[in-house]
Amino acid sequence: MTSMTGGEALVAALAAHGVDTIFGIPGTHNLTVYAAMERHGIRHVSPRHEQGAGYAADGYARSSGRPGVCLTTTGPAILNAAAAAAQAYSDSVPVLFVSPGMPLRHPGRGNGLLHEVKDQSAAMAAVLGRSHRVTSVEEIPLAVAQAWTDLVSGRPRPVHLEIPLDLLEEQADVTVPGPVPAAARTPAAEAVEAGAAACAAARRPVLVVGGGAARAGDEALSLAEAVGAPVVSTANGKGVVPEDHPLFVGAGLQHRCVLELMDDSDLVIAVGTEFAPSDWWIGLPDLSGKVLRVDVDPAQIVTNVIPAVSLVGDAALALRALLERLDVPAPADAPERAARWRDLHRAAAREEGAPWLRIVSAIAEALPRDAIVASDSAMACYYGALSNLPLHRPGAFLYPTGGGTLGFGLPAGIGAKTAHPDTAVLVLQGDGGTMFTVAELAGAAELGIALPVVVVDNGGYGEIRNEMADRDEPVHAVALGRPDFPALARSLGCRGVRVEDAAELTGEIKAALDADRPTLIHVREESRAARGMA
């Protein structure tokens, strides 16, 4: 046992669990936490808003597979991070949100203490499912260990840990436990046998990979090759299977040809995916009686689609177990079948993404194979990049699928670059979403990171403008003027440039990847030159 303040007990416990980076903003109530960081070897990254801190921790977690940590102060600060917590929850991203709370003996009806919120723990629990308020200094390391098991076991969901502000200053003898080994979730043997039998009997299988397959890429690819299954991926599953593999059909399930592929298949192997409407924009096909579903969450495995065969367990372990029981050759025509559907998917993707194709192609030409792209909920991302920008590693496409929040891309890219300082990371977003978190450019400049930030400017909220027009209703409240984005970037310590053609965009991205600071690259979608790129 060691005597320390509650603030140091928190930092010591995080360090014991391998935390090397915290994203956050200091405040009056969390200063004892900041005082202990350097002693325990934890780096602090300073975003400019708590929502940005949450998105950065999310990007760190998605790209690395390790939990991210977001630290705020009390009340409004943690509520500022609530949108990021909701986004992490919707996409099953392991982020630990930590904040002080009102003192242990704070009056139940309140007394106007600084940053007072009626019940911030309840507010956060309503957003992310679990918020734990500790009641002693001695409990703090244990609470961190318990939260960590939630982050790394089963389906990863974010967790909020609230520490009463008086406990952060109080001193006590504490024991700091190390990480508790996560229990391996292996599917039941009879389920594996049923899954292997279904795979052996299939003549036209297809494999759908989601974000839950992110740490099972090798196994997913081996299974696809073993059974001769064409592969499609959700937005969060993009990159799980390299997109230049002969069996890969495409990323993005919103195209009608994907529904036709499902109809054509006699077995749909779904790994780590929700079958959520946020992926299947035009609705699900009839999948009755032909889905083999692999998911670590037993509740999720019967949500949206009821499978014929259920393998509840870790994706990598489940797929390895299936592979061990397969001994039939893959259909000889598997590559030709995949190529036919790939051509259909590519044609649909190019038609849908036509206004952004040359922008996306210019980005693809500039990026190395192992690049990471942090994208926003922007037309250039979900119509353009999702199905048309090839990526080849798990965690390579950071996209706010479930929550669909604006402002995600830039801070998520900062988080990814923090986790992978030697990897090319690019941010792609629209002008509307950029303004949600544009202040994070200042934090990125302070870090001195080489981060291209491509802003595709269509003069406002383009998707909502189109929806208003499609409904034959007045089009208003969607035009956002014309900020001088390059000048704004320069004022915040970054490079800022405007491009006029695709070749110039490729060159600027390559230069930005070697720069000593972030570079905002502005593309005006409706200008004459930009139309030549579209």
Side-chain angles (χ1 to χ4, degrees):
M1 299 180 72
T2 305
S3 180
M4 58 182 70
T5 65
E8 182 164 12
L10 170 65
V11 175
L14 292 173
H17 284 78
V19 173
D20 58 10
T21 304
I22 291 175
F23 301 89
I25 298 177
T28 299
H29 292 161
N30 65 12
L31 295 182
T32 54
V33 182
Y34 279 82
M37 286 186 193
E38 186 175 350
R39 286 198 300 277
H40 291 273
I42 292 182
R43 176 192 189 192
H44 184 266
V45 175
S46 298
R48 295 304 187 261
H49 189 278
E50 290 89 0
Q51 189 175 119
Y55 291 147
D58 182 308
Y60 179 99
R62 290 187 199 228
S63 63
S64 69
R66 304 189 302 274
V69 179
C70 172
L71 171 66
T72 77
T73 193
T74 329
I78 187 61
L79 296 182
N80 280 343
Q87 181 58 63
Y89 182 86
S90 70
D91 284 347
S92 302
V93 181
V95 179
L96 178 61
F97 291 85
V98 184
S99 72
M102 290 296 100
L104 279 180
R105 294 177 179 84
H106 189 67
R109 295 178 66 88
N111 66 354
L113 185 66
L114 177 68
H115 299 329
E116 181 181 87
V117 169
K118 183 174 180 294
D119 191 343
Q120 71 176 28
S121 186
M124 293 303 291
V127 170
L128 47 68
R130 180 167 183 262
S131 175
H132 177 64
R133 176 177 164 93
V134 303
T135 56
S136 69
V137 173
E138 294 86 347
E139 185 190 357
I140 293 172
L142 175 61
V144 170
Q146 291 171 334
W148 212 259
T149 62
D150 288 344
L151 295 171
V152 301
S153 301
R155 185 178 188 177
R157 295 285 209 187
V159 176
H160 173 236
L161 182 61
E162 179 180 300
I163 305 175
L165 62 92
D166 51 339
L167 294 186
L168 289 174
E169 301 284 348
E170 189 176 309
Q171 190 128 354
D173 290 336
V174 300
T175 299
V176 179
V180 177
R185 297 201 176 187
T186 304
E190 61 270 23
V192 175
E193 292 294 344
C199 289
R203 292 297 172 263
R204 299 184 314 283
V206 63
L207 175 62
V208 182
V209 292
R215 308 305 155 196
D218 290 343
E219 291 83 359
L221 182 56
S222 295
L223 180 62
E225 292 172 339
V227 301
V231 182
V232 291
S233 79
T234 69
N236 287 345
K238 186 175 172 69
V240 168
V241 171
E243 297 194 26
D244 55 1
H245 191 277
L247 289 176
F248 188 75
V249 169
L253 309 180
Q254 70 273 19
H255 308 291
R256 186 156 300 279
C257 63
V258 175
L259 273 65
E260 294 167 353
L261 172 57
M262 299 298 123
D263 287 337
D264 178 71
S265 300
D266 58 1
L267 178 67
V268 178
I269 307 169
V271 183
T273 179
E274 296 177 307
F275 286 103
S278 53
D279 278 307
W280 300 82
W281 304 350
I282 58 176
L284 283 168
D286 182 6
L287 299 173
S288 302
K290 62 177 182 180
V291 174
L292 189 171
R293 198 165 183 181
V294 179
D295 206 291
V296 75
D297 183 350
Q300 182 59 50
I301 212 161
V302 292
T303 301
N304 292 322
V305 169
I306 297 176
V309 181
S310 303
L311 272 67
V312 179
D314 175 81
L317 293 178
L319 296 184
R320 284 178 211 155
L322 274 179
L323 286 164
E324 288 172 1
R325 288 161 175 78
L326 288 176
D327 58 1
V328 295
D333 65 344
E336 291 77 12
R337 180 170 178 252
R340 178 166 63 87
W341 289 107
R342 181 167 57 251
D343 289 344
L344 292 170
H345 190 280
R346 184 170 297 167
R350 291 181 66 82
E351 180 179 0
E352 179 182 76
W356 304 276
L357 280 183
R358 290 196 181 181
I359 294 173
V360 170
S361 295
I363 293 171
E365 186 176 345
L367 293 180
R369 182 178 176 81
D370 66 344
I372 297 170
V373 174
S375 60
D376 218 59
S377 186
M379 299 171 79
C381 300
Y382 50 76
Y383 293 138
L386 170 57
S387 295
N388 292 292
L389 178 63
L391 295 170
H392 308 292
R393 59 181 284 176
F397 189 64
L398 315 182
Y399 176 70
T401 305
T405 182
L406 292 178
F408 173 85
L410 173 57
I414 294 170
K417 189 65 176 177
T418 302
H420 303 276
D422 299 324
T423 297
V425 178
L426 177 139
V427 173
L428 177 64
Q429 53 193 24
D431 54 311
T434 294
M435 295 305 294
F436 275 55
T437 52
V438 70
E440 302 308 339
L441 285 172
E446 186 176 81
L447 292 170
I449 54 177
L451 183 69
V453 180
V454 179
V455 177
V456 182
D457 184 351
N458 61 13
Y461 302 125
E463 181 69 49
I464 308 306
R465 180 172 58 225
N466 292 346
E467 289 181 14
M468 287 177 170
D470 290 343
R471 291 161 62 95
D472 197 25
E473 295 174 350
V475 176
H476 67 117
V478 291
L480 298 177
R482 287 298 183 194
D484 188 337
F485 283 103
L488 178 57
R490 290 191 291 270
S491 76
L492 295 172
C494 303
R495 296 176 65 240
V497 297
R498 182 170 291 112
V499 300
E500 300 296 338
D501 58 50
E504 188 180 1
L505 176 56
T506 296
E508 289 292 353
I509 293 171
K510 289 181 176 180
L513 291 172
D514 291 327
D516 62 352
R517 66 193 71 186
T519 303
L520 187 147
I521 306 171
H522 183 216
V523 181
R524 279 186 174 167
E525 199 174 287
E526 82 282 20
S527 69
R528 181 183 60 81
R531 282 200 304 271
M533 295 173 60

